[in-house]
Amino acid sequence: MLQDHYAKINTNPKNCNCDKLLVTYHTIVSLPNKSCQLSQFYKTHYIWPHCWATVVSQYHSILKPHHRHVNIRYRRHFKLIGSSTKAMRRLQQQQQRLKRKRHTPPINYESLEELSLRHLFQSIQLRHDLLFDPYLSFRPNHDGRFGREKWSKAEHYWKQLYVAFLRPHKSSLVWIKTMIQELARILISLIHPFKNLPISGASFCWDWPSQVTAQEVYQVLDPQLILQQLKPGTVFQMDSQVNWLTFILSALCPINSRNQLELMRNYFSQKKYVKALKQCFQLLEIIKLDCANRVLRHYRYYLLATCASLEYKSFISQYSSIETVVQWLKGSWQRNPEQPYYAGLVHLVTDDEEIIRDLQLDSLPFPVTLKYDQKRLINQFRYDFQHMMWVAIVMTAYRHLNVEMKTTNLSACFKQQLKEIKPVSFSQLSQVLCQDKDKLIFWEAWLSHNLKPSSSLFQLIYRRVCQQLIYFTQHGYRCSANSQSLGIEQEIESLGKKLKMVADLNLDTFCGLYKSIVLYSCEKQQ
C-alpha cells in the first residue's frame, strides 16, 4: 500500500478563491491499482502558499513518470480553504483591515489613539523618554524617510478623494464614506478627552459644546445621507454640516491655529471640499496634540513616579525567560567583579563590534530589563562615547605639539574647531593639528593609526574613559584620585549623568531581581 505519495491538485477555476491565504492539496491515501480513479482515494492537507514550491519539488522527486499530474502552471488556481477555522477568520479580518486602511485618511482615529489618555498612562517608553527630556511634547512626525513616505501617502490619499468627489461612482464612494466615518469617530473621542484621569481632583478646561452629543455627531455626519447628494441629478450641499463642524472646532481649536480654521472655512465656502477636509483633519490632529501635551505637562511627575512599578508589572506578565539578564551580569562580573552592574551598563555603550574584536573582549548580551533604553544606549550614548574617544586622542596629539598651553585653553579653542570636522577626515584634522606642511603627512598617518581600536593609545584611553564613566555612573561625580587629565572631563560628566539616570531608574525597577540572580549564582558556585 502506497500512502501520501501522489499529489492531486484541484485546478478548476470555479472553485478557486485567490483572496484567501491558505492552500489545500490532496494526497492519495491508498492506490489499489493504477487504473482506479485517483479522486476516490485522497485526503486533504492545508499549507501556506510560500510552502507550495517545496511540496511540489518533493512529490516530483518521488512520482513515477505516468503519475506526475502535479501541474505548477495552475498554481494560482488552487482550491483554497474557507473561513471555518479561527486562523482563517483572523486572516480575513486582517485583509479587511488592510482594505479599509487603503481608504482611511492619513490622520484617522487609530493614529490619534496614540495621543489618548489610555495610551499615555500605559506607555512605559514615554516615561523613560520623559526622564531625559523634561520638556518633552508631541508633534507631527515629518522627519527623515518616514516623514517623506508619510507625506507621499497622504498626498496620494487626498488625490484619490478628489477623484471620488469629481467622478462619484460605486467603487469611489467608499473613499468618501470611510472619510466621514473617521471624522465622526475622531469628533466623538473629543467629547470627553480627559475622562478617567488617574488622580482625582485634577481638571482641565474643555469647551466642547454641551448640547452636542455622540448621537448628534452620527446624525449630522451620516454617510448614507451625504452620499445620496452625490448621485447624478442632485445638488451637493454641505452648508449645514460645515456650519456645525466650524462651530465645534472654533470652541476647541488652540489660539495659534485660528488661521487654519479660517482657511478651512474659506475652502468650504469656495466648494473646495477636499482642501477643506484636509485642513479639518489637520485641525483635529492639532487639537488632539494639544490635549496630550497638556496632560503630559500636568502629569509628568506622576508618570515618572509610577514608572518603576508599572515597568516591573509589565515585565512579570510578559517575560518568562531572564537568560539575557543572567548572561549579562555573569559576563560583566568576569570583567569587573567590583562593580558588575555599573560596568556592565557602561560596556553596553562603549563596546561595539570593532572594539570587541580588536581588544579581544567577550561580547555582553543586551539584557531584556534595559529594553526601553536600548535605542538610547546603543545609538545616542554610543555616539557620544565614540566622539569623546576621538576628541581625546586628537587632543593628546595637540597637547604634544603645544606643551606650553594649558588644558583650559585647549578646551576653549581647539574643541570648537573639532566640532566642524568629521572624525574620518584625517587630512583636515592634521591641518588643524600642525601648520607645518612637512609634518602633515606624518600626523595624518598618526591619526589614521591611533584612531583605530587596534592601536595601543586608543586602548589606553578607552580603559581610562571606561573607568571614569563607571565611577561616575555609580557615585554621580568624577573620581578625584585620577588626576591625569584627558581634556574631555566635561564630556565624561555629561555622558556620566545620563548613564546614572538610566542606572538609578533601572535599579529602582529590577534591584530585587539582580540581587536574586547574584545570590543564586554565588550559591551555585559554592
Side-chain angles (χ1 to χ4, degrees):
M1 179 182 295
L2 299 176
Q3 185 172 351
D4 295 344
H5 281 201
Y6 293 86
K8 183 178 184 303
I9 304 167
N10 188 331
T11 57
N12 185 359
K14 295 181 180 180
N15 294 330
C16 72
N17 184 356
C18 293
D19 291 335
K20 304 297 187 298
L21 298 178
L22 291 178
V23 179
T24 169
Y25 70 98
H26 310 296
T27 57
I28 304 301
V29 177
S30 61
L31 189 61
N33 54 70
K34 295 181 181 180
S35 62
C36 68
Q37 294 291 328
L38 293 176
S39 59
Q40 298 177 3
F41 304 95
Y42 66 80
K43 66 178 182 179
T44 304
H45 300 266
Y46 302 114
I47 61 170
W48 297 104
H50 65 270
C51 301
W52 177 247
T54 304
V55 173
V56 171
S57 63
Q58 289 175 351
Y59 280 103
H60 264 300
S61 63
I62 60 176
L63 291 178
K64 298 183 182 300
H66 58 281
H67 286 148
R68 288 184 180 177
H69 44 267
V70 179
N71 195 335
I72 301 179
R73 289 180 302 172
Y74 297 98
R75 194 168 69 176
R76 60 181 299 199
H77 298 307
F78 295 154
K79 179 183 176 183
L80 305 172
I81 72 168
S83 57
S84 58
T85 63
K86 291 183 179 180
M88 196 63 236
R89 283 197 296 269
R90 287 196 297 267
L91 291 171
Q92 286 179 333
Q93 293 172 0
Q94 184 178 4
Q95 279 191 320
Q96 292 174 359
R97 286 195 298 268
L98 291 174
K99 291 180 180 179
R100 178 179 174 82
K101 188 176 181 180
R102 179 170 171 261
H103 304 105
T104 302
I107 300 172
N108 52 72
Y109 177 82
E110 289 186 2
S111 66
L112 295 179
E113 186 65 15
E114 297 180 14
L115 304 173
S116 64
L117 282 182
R118 180 188 62 81
H119 188 273
L120 291 181
F121 287 104
Q122 290 180 357
S123 175
I124 302 173
Q125 185 65 61
L126 176 63
R127 288 167 161 83
H128 282 252
D129 295 338
L130 275 174
L131 182 66
F132 292 91
D133 189 356
Y135 304 102
L136 181 70
S137 60
F138 293 102
R139 64 173 179 82
N141 185 7
H142 301 303
D143 301 333
R145 186 183 67 178
F146 175 79
R148 291 190 296 269
E149 291 177 356
K150 183 179 177 181
W151 180 85
S152 177
K153 292 178 180 178
E155 290 301 311
H156 174 74
Y157 169 83
W158 294 114
K159 288 179 182 178
Q160 293 294 327
L161 190 66
Y162 175 77
V163 172
F165 272 101
L166 191 65
R167 296 188 294 271
H169 51 82
K170 186 176 181 181
S171 60
S172 64
L173 290 179
V174 66
W175 293 85
I176 302 175
K177 180 180 179 180
T178 306
M179 180 271 299
I180 297 171
Q181 291 173 341
E182 289 296 321
L183 179 59
R185 294 179 69 191
I186 296 173
L187 286 173
I188 291 173
S189 70
L190 289 173
I191 297 178
H192 300 292
F194 304 110
K195 190 178 181 181
N196 299 325
L197 291 170
I199 301 178
S200 59
S203 60
F204 296 93
C205 180
W206 190 241
D207 297 326
W208 176 273
S210 57
Q211 68 274 19
V212 179
T213 62
Q215 184 178 2
E216 182 179 345
V217 173
Y218 283 124
Q219 290 176 351
V220 174
L221 298 177
D222 185 2
Q224 300 301 330
L225 182 63
I226 296 175
L227 292 178
Q228 285 179 2
Q229 300 183 45
L230 289 171
K231 292 182 178 180
T234 59
V235 180
F236 184 66
Q237 291 290 339
M238 287 186 64
D239 293 342
S240 59
Q241 290 92 338
V242 169
N243 294 332
W244 175 84
L245 186 60
T246 306
F247 168 68
I248 294 178
L249 294 181
S250 300
L252 305 180
C253 188
I255 298 177
N256 56 359
S257 300
R258 295 292 177 180
N259 293 335
Q260 289 180 261
L261 183 64
E262 291 298 324
L263 186 61
M264 182 196 75
R265 186 180 294 152
N266 293 335
Y267 280 143
F268 272 125
S269 62
Q270 298 170 14
K271 309 299 181 183
K272 298 179 179 179
Y273 294 113
V274 175
K275 290 185 176 181
L277 289 167
K278 182 178 179 180
Q279 289 294 324
C280 176
F281 277 94
Q282 290 177 353
L283 281 171
L284 291 172
E285 183 183 44
I286 291 173
I287 295 171
K288 292 287 285 188
L289 285 168
D290 182 64
C291 294
N293 289 330
R294 288 166 66 182
V295 172
L296 211 57
R297 290 191 297 268
H298 191 276
Y299 283 98
R300 177 179 180 272
Y301 294 103
Y302 171 82
L303 291 171
L304 291 177
T306 57
C307 180
S309 59
L310 181 64
E311 183 176 356
Y312 189 75
K313 290 179 182 178
S314 175
F315 177 81
I316 293 298
S317 61
Q318 293 182 8
Y319 295 97
S320 58
S321 174
I322 57 172
E323 185 63 24
T324 57
V325 184
V326 175
Q327 295 300 324
W328 171 64
L329 288 175
K330 182 179 179 180
S332 179
W333 187 287
Q334 293 174 353
R335 290 180 60 175
N336 195 327
E338 296 180 357
Q339 298 114 352
Y341 172 78
Y342 296 100
L345 180 61
V346 169
H347 288 310
L348 289 175
V349 175
T350 61
D351 295 355
D352 58 11
E353 294 181 359
E354 191 176 3
I355 289 178
I356 292 173
R357 183 187 67 247
D358 292 339
L359 275 69
Q360 297 180 355
L361 302 173
D362 293 331
S363 177
L364 298 177
F366 200 94
V368 68
T369 51
L370 284 165
K371 72 167 189 172
Y372 293 106
D373 294 304
Q374 182 171 2
K375 183 178 179 180
R376 186 176 291 109
L377 291 170
I378 293 181
N379 294 339
Q380 301 174 12
F381 292 1
R382 183 170 291 177
Y383 174 81
D384 293 342
F385 171 77
Q386 291 172 347
H387 181 268
M388 187 191 312
M389 284 294 299
W390 78 266
V391 168
I393 292 173
V394 174
M395 290 191 68
T396 301
Y398 192 79
R399 188 183 294 108
H400 176 76
L401 293 171
N402 301 271
V403 180
E404 68 280 1
M405 295 186 66
K406 297 182 180 179
T407 305
T408 54
N409 293 332
L410 290 171
S411 301
C413 62
F414 186 60
K415 286 184 182 179
Q416 188 63 32
Q417 293 177 317
L418 292 180
K419 291 181 180 179
E420 303 174 359
I421 302 175
K422 295 181 179 180
V424 295
S425 181
F426 300 124
S427 59
Q428 287 183 287
L429 285 173
S430 60
Q431 292 175 10
V432 174
L433 276 173
C434 182
Q435 303 299 326
D436 190 349
K437 295 182 179 180
D438 297 333
K439 297 181 179 180
L440 286 178
I441 298 177
F442 167 79
W443 284 111
E444 185 174 347
W446 186 92
L447 289 171
S448 177
H449 172 71
N450 288 286
L451 284 174
K452 296 179 180 178
S454 57
S455 71
S456 57
L457 178 62
F458 185 98
Q459 296 177 14
L460 176 64
I461 295 178
Y462 166 83
R463 294 187 179 92
R464 289 181 179 176
V465 172
C466 287
Q467 289 175 1
Q468 294 191 27
L469 284 175
I470 292 170
Y471 189 91
F472 199 106
T473 304
Q474 182 177 6
H475 299 93
Y477 53 86
R478 288 191 294 112
C479 180
S480 58
N482 190 1
S483 59
Q484 188 172 3
S485 174
L486 295 172
I488 53 172
E489 283 68 28
Q490 293 180 354
E491 288 81 357
I492 291 176
E493 184 175 347
S494 176
L495 181 56
K497 288 180 179 178
K498 298 175 184 178
L499 284 169
K500 182 167 178 57
M501 286 194 290
V502 173
D504 290 346
L505 178 59
N506 189 253
L507 283 179
D508 287 344
T509 309
F510 299 106
C511 183
L513 176 64
Y514 295 148
K515 287 182 178 179
S516 300
I517 293 174
V518 172
L519 290 175
Y520 176 77
S521 300
C522 293
E523 292 177 357
K524 192 174 181 181
Q525 291 179 357
Q526 293 176 358

